Amino acid sequence: MSKDGERAYLRKLSKKEREASFDLYASANPGVFFAELGALLTLLPPPPARLLDLGCGAGVTSSFFAKRGYCVVGQDIC
């Protein structure tokens, strides 16, 4: 569940910016993004390993790993 500061940050964004922050396909090259995630999965211990996602932004990558069974903590400056 998001913390109050994260929700406040997202409320300050325009609708377009908010949607883009959650849109994996907004990346300039989504194929590279998914290839890198796949490569990273081969290096990680199997779930339910714990992961720390530093600089997680809106938490898209954290959500990706959490949905695959990892215990993820995401931390961002906001």
Side-chain angles (χ1 to χ4, degrees):
M1 182 55 78
S2 298
K3 294 201 168 57
D4 291 337
E6 295 170 40
R7 287 190 289 263
Y9 168 76
L10 291 172
R11 280 193 296 270
K12 292 177 184 180
L13 299 176
S14 70
K15 181 179 179 185
K16 184 177 180 179
E17 291 169 327
R18 200 167 36 253
E19 289 170 355
S21 72
F22 289 102
D23 187 2
L24 291 175
Y25 304 103
S27 150
N29 193 338
V32 171
F33 175 78
F34 286 112
E36 289 173 347
L37 277 180
L40 188 55
L41 279 170
T42 66
L43 301 172
L44 294 174
R50 296 182 65 179
L51 301 178
L52 175 60
D53 187 1
L54 294 174
C56 66
V60 173
T61 306
S62 298
S63 294
F64 173 85
F65 287 114
K67 288 177 182 177
R68 276 141 193 86
Y70 289 91
C71 178
V72 183
V73 172
Q75 183 67 44
D76 198 276
I77 195 166
C78 67

